[in-house]
Amino acid sequence: MPSEFVKEVADVFAKDGPLSKVTANYTPRPSQIEFATSVAEALEQGKSLVAEAGTGTGKTFAYLVPALLKDQKVLISTAGKTLQDQLFTKDIPALLKALGMGCRVALLKGRSNYICKQRLEHALQEDSYVAKSREEVVHLHRIKKFAGQSVTGERGDITDVPENSGIWPEVTSTGENCLGANCDHYNDCFVMQAREKAKEAINHHLFLADISLKDNQITDFLPEFDLVVLDEAHQLTNIATNFFSQTLNLYDVRNLAADAVSQGYGVNKQIDWNGIYKTISNACDDLISTTHNILNSKDKQLAVAKFKDKHLLVEPFKKLLNAVEKLSNAVHVHKEASPEMTKLDERCTEALDLIEYWRDVFNGKAVSRSMKGPLLDWFTVKPKNIFFNTTPLSYAEMLKSAREVQGKPWVLTSATLAANGDFKHFVDQVGLEDAETKSWESPFDFKAQGMLYITEDLPIPSAPNFSDEVAKRIWPFIKKNKGRAFVLCTTLRAMEVISEALRYFAETEGVSMNILVQNEQSKQELLRRFRSEENSVLVGSMSFWEGVDIKGDALSLVVIDKIPFPPPDDPVFEGRSKELEAEGKSSFNEISIPEAIMLLKQGAGRLIRDEKDEGLLILCDNRLLSKGYGTKIWKSLPDFARTKVFDTAMNFLERCQEPRG
């Protein structure tokens, strides 16, 4: 029999309950009520819950209502800033109004989301040094103007500086280069102000955070909370991989040397700081060029165990180690001269430790790290940089330890956590085998509101001309629909090929079409333009597969180029696959299919966001029909009407063209 608290939670969602007073045309949703009461039971019983709730279930209110009524301290952590901002500015204020409650709410994002005033000042003094192009100089001065006006200093609020601008690392801080209390701007630091608000919120109710936060920002707070909610929890696996990895980034090594130049001359002009910087920069260049030559590639990722010529990198690493040792010695002598030099001394020690480790790795020596479980050493090669990574092949025990430290219930929720109703893949990865698992279908009528069109006559996805053929096949639909389309690609290369082809078709046929492409502007600006500008098509890669909510007439066509299987050449995926194969399990069934299903469901979920939405979903991968595993993937998708016939799909799209109310 339900407890009084569970009944109280259910009453909030009743037909004549508090939500009905502030929500137009409110209709109770059984799935939302069941989700909310399940969270209430988890709170009462101190157990964890993994909950998959389909689009339109109303999951945010479902976990917020019991959290607020229980009058406890809650950490709500999201994988993306979009949902975080929606919770902070829209959902929580609306719910507090409905419940007639007051509550202190704080929002905290990762350090890199805030402008660092100290580093901005340095960048402005050295703009010809830190900016790699005239465009980056322009970006730098736009950031300066914004920082002088902003209250929060959040970089996401700047719409005229692209997310991928090379200037961002120069004006934001990391845990390694932040001076903390020794910084001249500590008292007016954007990051510190956000953290102080977060600490205040711990004494009240809600604390919103980004689950990719490092520097122990969340683990320091965990014991203070009675409930942890991880929304967008399908992202937890990717974020945990990055979080628990240790990385040597050659860009950071150069940045360390550049910071030493700016601080060193103020301490001792007799030392040739510029000469030391050039030696380190040359050593980085040598390591990069040697790697490029050995691999005959400037864009590749590879496990060290598969790198036959790894011994050829030992000498370049020795050269880099010697150069950084000279820097470290020069800094160490003057480490007490200023807070900046003290921090530089610490950074030098950390850099030397990592460089020594990787020298030994490439020398074939057995080296150990303070990380549990099987580890994978691998590296990513880029035209101007290399990332050397040590990654745990499993982080389930680490996440389980975090739960044990906090000792209170966790609720993990998303629209996509199960593969065809099975949660095993997800709960095994995140160490939640003891959690209760539940799922609720979306209340939307997908069969009436949407259609799924599978193209049968395209080449196989591995064909060299696949992306070109995708563009040709989808252009008639985009043209007929007057844009209003998302084209979701599995790779950046496919995104580039398809967007270029669509622009060519529009130009040659004289069609007014606004082709927006990921990375050409910030994500926020692209979405703003898509919503506001007619005849718009947004072509993107993984950044737009999830966390994007566009309702109504602006979006009625979503195209997905192919099933988003994990890249087979991804070293971490390959390492985890080998571990499973050694246990006699199928990595394709255990990893590839579940991960592809979860991501494909996210992409498909961009189409129908409201009970009035209508639209066409085009999947350009006929493996859904021709391969045995296609049936499992097919059944995991929303229950759209389905067709393989071009005319049927086009007729349905025409029906969706009229503006929706």
Side-chain angles (χ1 to χ4, degrees):
M1 185 172 179
S3 68
E4 288 302 315
F5 175 59
V6 171
K7 291 179 181 177
E8 182 185 6
V9 168
D11 288 344
V12 173
F13 298 91
K15 186 174 182 179
D16 57 351
L19 287 182
S20 68
K21 305 296 191 295
V22 295
T23 307
N25 303 315
Y26 177 76
T27 302
R29 305 174 194 173
S31 55
Q32 186 181 41
I33 298 172
E34 290 176 16
F35 188 175
T37 54
S38 295
V39 175
E41 290 169 356
L43 271 169
E44 285 193 318
Q45 300 169 18
K47 63 184 181 183
S48 292
L49 172 69
V50 175
E52 181 179 80
T55 306
T57 303
K59 59 187 174 66
T60 54
F61 279 17
Y63 62 67
L64 283 171
V65 167
L68 288 168
L69 292 181
K70 194 67 173 175
D71 192 28
Q72 292 186 329
K73 292 170 285 189
V74 184
L75 165 66
I76 302 172
S77 186
T78 70
K81 296 184 286 292
T82 303
L83 176 58
Q84 197 177 30
D85 291 335
Q86 178 185 315
L87 283 164
F88 189 68
T89 61
K90 181 181 177 183
D91 292 344
I92 293 172
L95 186 55
L96 290 174
K97 180 180 178 182
L99 297 176
M101 297 177 64
C103 172
R104 182 72 64 85
V105 184
L107 182 146
L108 181 62
K109 299 180 181 180
R111 184 189 296 274
S112 64
N113 290 285
Y114 301 92
I115 294 167
C116 172
K117 295 181 178 180
Q118 179 84 356
R119 292 183 63 77
L120 175 60
E121 282 186 1
H122 165 63
L124 288 165
Q125 293 167 1
E126 305 282 347
D127 63 357
S128 62
Y129 186 71
V130 300
K132 308 300 186 298
S133 66
R134 185 176 300 174
E135 185 180 36
E136 287 187 10
V137 173
V138 173
H139 294 163
L140 176 60
H141 287 273
R142 286 176 181 169
I143 293 170
K144 174 192 175 185
K145 180 179 179 181
F146 170 80
Q149 301 169 340
S150 175
V151 175
T152 63
E154 291 185 30
R155 57 181 279 186
D157 293 336
I158 306 178
T159 60
D160 54 358
V161 178
E163 290 181 344
N164 63 342
S165 172
I167 203 64
W168 281 120
E170 306 293 346
V171 298
T172 56
S173 68
T174 65
E176 288 71 31
N177 61 31
C178 175
L179 299 177
N182 293 318
C183 179
D184 292 339
H185 291 281
Y186 182 77
N187 292 327
D188 62 342
C189 170
F190 291 128
V191 173
M192 290 302 112
Q193 288 172 351
R195 286 194 183 185
E196 286 305 312
K197 289 179 181 177
K199 290 178 180 177
E200 291 174 11
I202 288 176
N203 297 321
H204 298 76
H205 281 295
L206 302 178
F207 171 56
L208 305 178
D210 171 351
I211 59 178
S212 64
L213 292 181
K214 289 199 175 185
D215 308 326
N216 295 320
Q217 291 176 23
I218 283 186
T219 52
D220 285 348
F221 289 134
L222 274 177
E224 301 286 344
F225 289 101
D226 302 302
L227 172 67
V228 172
V229 177
L230 301 183
D231 205 337
E232 300 180 316
H234 62 279
Q235 277 280 30
L236 182 58
T237 54
N238 291 331
I239 291 172
T241 297
N242 294 328
F243 185 90
F244 292 117
S245 293
Q246 293 181 348
T247 300
L248 171 65
N249 175 353
L250 295 187
Y251 176 87
D252 289 343
V253 176
R254 290 188 208 265
N255 200 36
L256 167 64
D259 288 348
V261 171
S262 66
Q263 299 299 327
Y265 278 113
V267 173
N268 186 340
K269 292 184 172 59
Q270 302 304 312
I271 296 176
D272 183 11
W273 298 101
N274 267 320
I276 294 175
Y277 170 83
K278 289 178 181 177
T279 303
I280 290 175
S281 184
N282 289 338
C284 289
D285 288 339
D286 184 36
L287 183 52
I288 293 170
S289 62
T290 301
T291 308
H292 287 169
N293 292 335
I294 295 171
L295 296 175
N296 195 27
S297 174
K298 294 184 178 182
D299 190 0
K300 190 178 182 67
Q301 49 187 13
L302 188 68
V304 172
K306 294 184 68 176
F307 188 28
K308 296 179 181 179
D309 297 315
K310 56 179 176 285
H311 63 282
L312 297 178
L313 293 187
V314 175
E315 285 305 315
F317 261 106
K318 287 181 179 178
K319 180 179 177 182
L320 178 61
L321 182 63
N322 290 336
V324 176
E325 280 179 340
K326 289 180 181 179
L327 174 67
S328 180
N329 292 336
V331 169
H332 187 73
V333 173
H334 303 287
K335 68 175 184 177
E336 304 296 339
S338 69
E340 287 83 359
M341 294 301 288
T342 303
K343 191 67 178 181
L344 281 168
D345 184 56
E346 296 172 2
R347 291 169 62 191
C348 285
T349 301
E350 292 168 2
L352 285 172
D353 179 58
L354 283 171
I355 295 168
E356 287 178 349
Y357 172 80
W358 281 97
R359 177 203 60 191
D360 292 343
V361 165
F362 285 107
N363 205 19
K365 293 184 178 180
V367 287
S368 61
R369 302 296 285 174
S370 57
M371 301 169 73
K372 296 180 181 178
L375 304 175
L376 177 72
D377 289 321
W378 59 287
F379 56 103
T380 300
V381 179
K382 294 295 181 183
K384 297 182 180 180
N385 196 10
I386 305 179
F387 302 84
F388 298 94
N389 313 285
T390 301
T391 299
L393 292 180
S394 173
Y395 40 78
E397 289 301 319
M398 302 175 195
L399 289 174
K400 187 178 292 184
S401 296
R403 282 198 299 136
E404 291 172 353
V405 166
Q406 193 246 348
K408 300 290 176 62
W410 284 26
V411 173
L412 285 76
T413 184
S414 168
T416 55
L417 293 177
N420 205 21
D422 187 356
F423 287 90
K424 185 178 185 304
H425 174 69
F426 178 77
V427 297
D428 285 352
Q429 279 191 316
V430 300
L432 274 162
E433 298 89 345
D434 59 332
E436 183 176 11
T437 59
K438 291 187 176 182
S439 63
W440 295 273
E441 297 291 335
S442 168
F444 299 153
D445 186 353
F446 287 114
K447 194 175 288 291
Q449 293 178 246
M451 177 174 283
L452 168 58
Y453 169 47
I454 304 276
T455 55
E456 285 192 286
D457 54 347
L458 278 168
I460 59 174
S462 59
N465 64 334
F466 177 73
S467 295
D468 290 298
E469 291 300 316
V470 166
K472 290 178 185 177
R473 206 61 47 89
I474 66 176
W475 170 245
F477 292 96
I478 290 174
K479 180 180 176 182
K480 171 65 73 173
N481 204 49
K482 298 179 181 178
R484 302 190 296 179
F486 269 14
V487 180
L488 303 177
C489 305
T490 50
T491 65
L492 291 174
R493 176 58 184 161
M495 178 188 79
E496 293 167 358
V497 171
I498 292 172
S499 60
E500 288 175 8
L502 294 179
R503 282 172 170 162
Y504 172 78
F505 296 148
E507 183 179 352
T508 54
E509 296 184 27
V511 176
S512 176
M513 193 69 67
N514 188 24
I515 310 295
L516 307 171
V517 184
Q518 178 181 321
N519 291 334
E520 291 186 350
Q521 290 178 292
S522 71
K523 183 176 180 179
Q524 292 87 342
E525 180 63 9
L526 288 172
L527 290 173
R528 184 199 66 76
R529 290 185 61 191
F530 182 84
R531 288 187 176 99
S532 62
E533 298 177 9
E534 294 182 355
N535 301 339
S536 289
V537 179
L538 197 155
V539 187
S541 186
M542 292 304 168
S543 293
F544 290 92
W545 281 64
E546 55 189 86
V548 177
D549 189 15
I550 296 180
K551 300 175 183 177
D553 190 50
L555 178 65
S556 55
L557 173 62
V558 171
V559 177
I560 295 176
D561 67 340
K562 58 185 176 181
I563 301 170
F565 286 120
D569 60 347
D570 182 316
V572 177
F573 167 74
E574 189 175 21
R576 288 176 178 153
S577 296
K578 286 182 177 179
E579 288 285 309
L580 281 173
E581 300 289 349
E583 297 172 9
K585 300 177 181 178
S586 165
S587 61
F588 186 71
N589 291 329
E590 296 279 342
I591 302 179
S592 297
I593 291 178
E595 291 192 5
I597 286 174
M598 286 194 284
L599 188 51
L600 191 58
K601 286 165 67 177
Q602 282 290 330
R606 296 316 97 210
L607 183 62
I608 305 298
R609 308 298 300 174
D610 186 86
E611 64 272 7
K612 295 180 180 179
D613 282 354
E614 291 181 326
L616 177 69
L617 171 65
I618 301 177
L619 287 180
C620 303
D621 191 336
N622 56 33
R623 289 177 296 179
L624 279 169
L625 303 174
S626 63
K627 299 294 184 180
Y629 57 77
T631 301
K632 187 173 184 179
I633 297 174
W634 177 275
K635 289 181 178 179
S636 295
L637 292 171
D639 188 26
F640 294 120
R642 306 187 180 202
T643 186
K644 298 179 286 183
V645 180
F646 177 93
D647 289 341
T648 303
M650 187 64 78
N651 291 337
F652 182 85
L653 188 62
E654 289 177 355
R655 197 192 90 187
C656 301
Q657 283 188 356
E658 293 301 318
R660 289 161 271 168

